[in-house]
Amino acid sequence: MLNTLSGRFLILTTVFVMLAEVLIFVPSISRFRQDYLEDRLERAQIASLALLADDMIESDLERELLENAGVYNVVLRRDEMRQLVLSSPIPSPITETFDLRDASAPTLIGDALTRLWSPGNEIIRVIGAPVRDAGLLIEITMETGPLRAAMIDYGLRILLLSAVISVLTAVLLFIAVRMVLVTPIKGVIGYMQRYAAAPEDARGIITPKAGVIELREAEEALQKLQTELTHALKQRERLAQLGGAVAKISHDLRNILTSAQLFTDRIEMSEDPLVRRLAPKLVNSITRAVSLCEGTLAFGRAEEPAPTFGRVCLSEIIDDVAESETLVASDVDVEICNTVPLPTMIRCDKEQIFRVIMNLVRNARQAIIATGRNGRITVSMREEENAWWVEVADDGPGLPKKALDNLFTPFQGGARKGGTGLGLAIAAELIKGHGGHLALARTGPEGTVFEICLPKGDGAV
């Protein structure tokens, strides 16, 4: 019970209602004491009417009148004259006097609490105003034992009634909480458990139907989360299937390219000057294609292989990229400008850096060709104390919003129609393997600039 929401709510409600009843009890018991004393004053005034009707009454009648009124003496002041109307022997001296005519609420509450905590039977004097203005004041003497007993009896009845009210209120609230909160929450938990058992099944997604605003907001948030997760799981499954297909295709393509590589030896023996000049480029392209297929197979098994570091001439890599791109025929003239000095050496994996720069240059060239006008791509480098910074800049149209929102996300960051978005994702992963990072420096109508950071040490920059 203590570990459930409704059980704790039941207990807290009972406690709070009891506290409220205790706060009500204090002024209530004070009011009861005041009514009790005023009732004795009124009875004493009625008893005194017998003497006013007849100046002489028998002692037995006087004693009976005082017993019925519950007092020992009755003093009535009329016309500024204080007159002892009824009297009887007092068993002990008077200890206190209480004037009810001008008593404030704090005074009445304090007197009531004091009486509850005083177990002795004392004789007190009580002064009040006669009913119906039958004099200036009426004064009585009485004992406090019956008063305290009546106050205790009244208090016990009040506490019992408070307990019944608190329990009844708590039970009603317990039922209401279970209907309004606990049952809908259990429904949400049931949806979550069924969805967790089969997250790919869209039928397990919750349907918001709670009437309480907060619960409905929670259901809507859960529905959104489940929907996105289901789509992500389906996409992951499709990507896994695609990865398997790519691995099979790469395996077969590697075999085909390996066979083609055997024929390049014969092409190199040709006497045609143009063939002899282009043959090394063809050999290098086929070799890189075979390496790419092998890398794709490795990626399908685990992840991109770790780079093999060595001292590499960056200018030669950029020249190879430029020559490879210029072999692709196009109606648009795109100039690839290499501004990196020839002696510049960097520490990297030659094939992986070639793939990174090739991806960036190719993306820039395709963006410029899509505009139908000539353009220029510039590859530059600057050296700092801890890193080399390679910059690939173009004067193309800039990246569209869709590409910016998913820049390095596979299959979502494509900037052109038909693009997969794999190029930038692979490039970023390769640079990350070097301990560096690939970032978009700026883009806009004036062009796009990507920056590659390659650390000089073993740690990441």
Side-chain angles (χ1 to χ4, degrees), residues 150-372:
M151 292 174 64
I152 292 175
D153 179 67
Y154 174 79
L156 292 176
R157 286 188 280 114
I158 288 293
L159 290 178
L160 178 60
L161 179 61
S162 301
V164 172
I165 293 175
S166 63
V167 172
L168 180 61
T169 303
V171 170
L172 293 177
L173 288 175
F174 173 81
I175 297 173
V177 166
R178 288 193 65 86
M179 293 176 60
V180 177
L181 292 178
V182 177
T183 300
I185 290 176
K186 286 186 175 180
V188 174
I189 294 174
Y191 270 110
M192 295 173 67
Q193 292 173 341
R194 289 191 295 272
Y195 180 79
E200 297 88 356
D201 190 355
R203 294 176 299 176
I205 297 177
I206 188 172
T207 302
K209 55 185 178 182
V212 181
I213 295 178
E214 290 79 3
L215 283 176
R216 188 170 185 86
E217 290 177 352
E219 290 179 346
E220 291 174 352
L222 178 60
Q223 181 189 43
K224 181 179 178 182
L225 176 62
Q226 290 177 335
T227 302
E228 292 177 354
L229 181 58
T230 299
H231 291 168
L233 291 174
K234 290 181 178 179
Q235 185 179 19
R236 186 186 67 176
E237 183 180 357
R238 290 195 296 267
L239 290 177
Q241 295 173 353
L242 177 61
V246 170
K248 294 177 181 178
I249 294 172
S250 297
H251 180 271
D252 294 338
L253 182 59
R254 182 190 60 178
N255 294 336
I256 295 172
L257 292 174
T258 301
S259 300
Q261 195 173 23
L262 299 176
F263 292 103
T264 57
D265 295 334
R266 293 180 177 272
I267 296 177
E268 287 180 332
M269 299 173 58
S270 174
E271 299 295 334
D272 189 334
L274 179 60
V275 174
R276 293 177 63 87
R277 183 172 64 86
L278 296 179
K281 302 296 182 183
L282 177 60
V283 172
N284 290 338
S285 297
I286 293 177
T287 301
R288 289 192 178 100
V290 173
S291 299
L292 180 60
C293 291
E294 292 176 347
T296 302
L297 292 174
F299 180 82
R301 289 192 299 270
E303 58 183 7
E304 196 72 39
T308 303
F309 290 97
R311 302 294 293 178
V312 177
C313 179
L314 180 60
S315 182
E316 292 180 358
I317 294 178
I318 298 172
D319 287 339
D320 288 346
V321 171
E323 290 181 9
S324 298
E325 282 298 304
T326 54
L327 291 177
V328 181
S330 174
D331 296 334
V332 178
D333 183 17
V334 180
E335 179 185 0
I336 301 175
C337 182
N338 178 11
T339 64
V340 179
L342 265 178
T344 304
M345 304 293 290
I346 63 174
R347 179 176 175 274
C348 65
D349 184 305
K350 182 177 180 180
E351 290 302 319
Q352 291 188 3
I353 293 301
F354 176 89
R355 290 169 58 190
V356 171
I357 297 177
M358 171 69 83
N359 274 320
L360 295 177
V361 171
R362 181 166 295 171
N363 287 346
R365 185 171 182 271
Q366 290 173 348
I368 294 173
I369 292 175
T371 63

Side-chain angles (χ1 to χ4, degrees), residues 25 36 59 65 88 112 198 269 285 360 377 380 384 397 411 420 455:
F25 171 79
Y36 184 93
S59 58
L65 290 173
S88 64
M269 299 173 58
S285 297
L360 295 177
I377 301 172
S380 58
E384 295 182 355
F411 303 103
T420 61

Side-chain angles (χ1 to χ4, degrees), residues 28 30-40 100:
S28 177
S30 173
R31 182 63 185 177
F32 174 81
R33 172 183 172 274
Q34 183 182 5
D35 292 341
Y36 184 93
L37 296 178
E38 290 178 349
D39 180 67
R40 292 300 179 272
L100 302 182

Side-chain angles (χ1 to χ4, degrees), residues 10 21 47 75 90 93 111 116 119 134-135 156 160-161 231 257 273 302 309 316 325 329 350 378-379 385 421-422 429:
L10 174 64
E21 292 293 342
V75 175
I90 300 176
D111 293 340
L116 281 176
L156 292 176
L160 178 60
L161 179 61
H231 291 168
L257 292 174
F309 290 97
E316 292 180 358
E325 282 298 304
K350 182 177 180 180
T378 304
V379 184
E385 181 180 356
L422 280 171
E429 183 178 352

Side-chain angles (χ1 to χ4, degrees), residues 357-418:
I357 297 177
M358 171 69 83
N359 274 320
L360 295 177
V361 171
R362 181 166 295 171
N363 287 346
R365 185 171 182 271
Q366 290 173 348
I368 294 173
I369 292 175
T371 63
R373 58 179 178 81
N374 298 337
R376 180 185 179 121
I377 301 172
T378 304
V379 184
S380 58
M381 191 205 77
R382 71 179 187 275
E383 184 175 359
E384 295 182 355
E385 181 180 356
N386 298 321
W388 295 285
W389 291 84
V390 182
E391 186 178 274
V392 180
D394 65 71
D395 56 0
L399 294 175
K401 185 178 184 305
K402 177 185 176 183
L404 289 174
D405 294 339
N406 306 278
L407 194 57
F408 299 106
T409 306
F411 303 103
Q412 296 184 18
R416 61 184 177 84
K417 185 177 181 181

